[in-house]
Structures are given as structure tokens and as C-alpha cells.
Amino acid sequence: MKKTTKLVSIGMITALLLAGCSTTAPGSGNKEAEQSGAKTEGIKIGLAVSTQSNPFFVTLKEGAQTAAAAGSAELITVDAQDDAAKQASSIEDLIQQKVDVIIINPTDSAAIVPAVESANAAGIPVITVDRTSDGGKVTTHIASDNKAGGVLAAKFLAEQLGGAGKVVELEGIPGSSAARERGAGFNEEIAKTSGIQIAAKQPADFDRAKGLTVMENILQGNKDIKAVFAHNDEMALGALKAIEAAGAAGILVVGFDATDDAVKEVFAGKLSATVAQKPDMMGILAVQTAIKIAKGETVEASIPVELELITKDSAK
């Protein structure tokens, strides 16, 4: 059955919105909702997103908006534009607006800690989504297993390369949990194949333009690269453009996130694969969980979102 670029069907989303978050369980969560006062109406949720320049997080926000509308909740979204200081300031604004729950997609997992602690001090429960916070009290974390995604990418490349070749790793924003975990999973798994060498490893900050520039520079000093693993699709698409411009045919490129642009390139046979995280589902689950917390219900400390490796064969 042919897959479309939207990895979550309308039917699945509708079912989730009607049934609520099926991954929650009574008695398994926290007590913050009791501190702020359980509510049944007029629920106000803050969503602090790392950036809206990345299609992945645009889709995550759209999922959150859909769930908020279905749950009759008000959603206030703030965009950090990948600036940790700006994100901290915007979260302080959400606290001043007395939101009932704050959902945070951290720009930097370490830098976000004081903001999480400020929310804790104000008695506002915090949910992290996609990326973790290195400290403070977080009610629940909603994400795919980034490390497992890195392992999926490594296994795919090892198989495609026949166990030998030089590989480039384009890293995400230093300090972000996603970059650390995806890199850890990839490197631990790829190390099991002795014939594969990481020839170059450099941050491109989850950015397409930086991915292009970094890959251009790497190609100048490495003429025998066989594959690229990028910590997200934006960097992978930038790397792909650099490879095409250099006329370096035959280099495999694997991304992470399964954004629409990336999936189109996979099905066109240009991008080798991408690890699907389903950001719309993350947004939906985050808001559904926030509504439960605001109502005084308890939730799981960790809510997973399924991963999937998308290759050209997925279109068949």
C-alpha cells in the first residue's frame, strides 16, 4: 500500500482526538495539577517551540493546534527562533499569563533548565516534547526514541554500503538532547562495522543552509565519501544539494524527521532514507496530555511516539 508524505492518517488523528491520549495511565504521574488547581474549562496551554523555520516543528505546532481546538483549550505558541535566551524570556511571559500547563520543545537542553525551574516555582506543570530538559521537574516527556532512530540509520547505511566506506555525520545544535541521542545511537551502532569510518563530523545546527555549506567544505577535503547521516532532514537536504552541485554521484544520504520535503526526495530516489518521527502526533499527544494534567488527571512520565524508516521501497 502506497504511503503518502503525511505519515499520520486523518483517521488516526480523529480517533486520537475523540478517544484522548491512550498512553496515559491513572496513578502513574505527578501532583503538579493539584498545586495549580484542577480545571474542567477555560484551560490555557503554553507551547514554547524551538523554531518555526523548521517544517518539523511547524507540523508539531499544527498537531497541537488541532488537539487544542478539539479539546476546547486555548493554545498560546511562542517561537524561540533557535535562541535559548529568547526561549527563556518567552516562557517567563507564559508564566506571567498564568497558563495552566507549559509544553516546551527546548532549543538547548541545558539552557532551558532555569525556565523549567521558574515554571516549577509558579506551580505550572511542564511537558517536554521531542527534546528533554537537563533539569527542573518535568511532568512528562513526549518523544520518539532518538537513540533508536540513530541506530536505524546506522544499520541501514551499513547494509547499503556492504560494511565498508567513509561516512560523514552532520550534527544538530550542540547541547540539544536530539543531537546527543541521535549521534550516540548512530555512532554506537556504526562502530560495530569495522569497515566503516566516520571521516568527518561537524555541527550544522539542524539548518538546511548550514547543512549545504558544511557539506561543501567537507567534500573539498574528502573525495571518497560514500554516505552522509544528518541528524535532521533540513541538514540532509542541504547536504544533498551540495553533493549534486559537486557532481559527487553515488553518495548515500540519510536524514531524520520525515518532513514532507524529505519524503518527496526519498520517493524520487535522491535522498536514501529518513527516520520518521511523526511530529503531528507529538503535538496532538502533548496537548491532550496537557489537558489531562490541567483537569487533575495523572499521566505517564514518558509517552513514546513510534519510529519508522522511510525508504523508496516504502512507496510501493
Side-chain angles (χ1 to χ4, degrees):
M1 177 177 176
K2 184 173 180 178
K3 293 183 180 286
T4 64
T5 58
K6 290 296 182 186
L7 297 172
V8 179
S9 68
I10 293 174
M12 182 183 294
I13 291 175
T14 302
L16 274 167
L17 293 174
L18 290 174
C21 177
S22 62
T23 51
T24 58
S28 56
N30 61 90
K31 301 295 181 183
E32 284 97 328
E34 295 175 8
Q35 298 172 10
S36 59
K39 301 181 72 171
T40 57
E41 59 183 23
I43 294 171
K44 192 187 317 186
I45 301 166
L47 173 62
V49 186
S50 60
T51 179
Q52 286 291 276
S53 296
N54 186 326
F56 179 87
F57 296 113
V58 172
T59 303
L60 188 152
K61 182 190 75 172
E62 290 170 348
Q65 289 171 329
T66 300
S72 300
E74 179 184 355
L75 183 70
I76 303 170
T77 302
V78 290
D79 177 8
Q81 299 175 338
D82 277 333
D83 184 323
K86 182 178 178 65
Q87 185 164 58
S89 176
S90 65
I91 289 171
E92 290 296 336
D93 289 342
L94 292 174
I95 293 170
Q96 293 303 313
Q97 292 182 61
K98 301 186 185 303
V99 296
D100 297 297
V101 182
I102 299 178
I103 300 167
I104 304 176
N105 160 239
T107 294
D108 184 298
S109 297
I112 200 63
V113 174
V116 173
E117 292 174 338
S118 290
N120 295 158
I124 300 174
V126 173
I127 295 171
T128 51
V129 61
D130 186 52
R131 302 172 185 168
T132 60
S133 170
D134 286 351
K137 187 172 184 180
V138 174
T139 300
T140 187
H141 179 60
I142 299 170
S144 300
D145 187 333
N146 281 305
K147 189 171 182 179
V151 171
L152 275 178
K155 286 183 175 179
F156 174 79
L157 283 181
E159 180 181 350
Q160 295 297 308
L161 293 173
K166 291 185 178 181
V167 177
V168 169
E169 182 181 358
L170 296 183
E171 301 171 302
I173 296 172
S176 69
S177 60
R180 289 200 306 263
E181 292 162 8
R182 293 172 192 182
F186 180 77
N187 283 276
E188 287 173 18
E189 184 63 30
I190 213 72
K192 297 176 183 178
T193 306
S194 60
I196 294 181
Q197 174 190 350
I198 305 295
K201 181 187 298 189
Q202 190 171 334
D205 299 342
F206 293 129
D207 183 80
R208 190 181 302 202
K210 290 181 181 179
L212 188 156
T213 302
V214 170
M215 193 64 204
E216 284 177 337
N217 293 335
I218 289 173
L219 286 172
Q220 289 176 6
N222 299 271
K223 303 300 182 183
D224 52 352
I225 297 298
K226 299 298 181 185
V228 177
F229 170 55
H231 288 186
N232 82 336
D233 285 334
E234 288 297 284
M235 295 187 297
L237 292 169
L240 186 63
K241 194 166 184 179
I243 289 166
E244 290 174 345
I251 297 178
L252 304 175
V253 181
V254 175
F256 204 118
D257 287 341
T259 61
D260 284 356
D261 285 351
V263 174
K264 287 175 185 175
E265 294 300 317
V266 170
F267 290 169
K270 294 182 178 180
L271 199 65
S272 305
T274 180
V275 179
Q277 279 206 100
K278 306 178 183 177
D280 45 359
M281 188 63 65
M282 288 184 189
I284 288 168
L285 291 175
V287 168
Q288 287 181 338
T289 304
I291 291 171
K292 284 179 176 286
I293 292 169
K295 289 181 176 179
E297 300 178 34
T298 52
V299 299
E300 297 280 2
S302 178
I303 299 175
V305 180
E306 184 183 1
L307 286 170
E308 180 182 5
L309 185 70
I310 304 298
T311 67
K312 190 174 182 180
D313 289 340
S314 303
K316 297 178 181 178

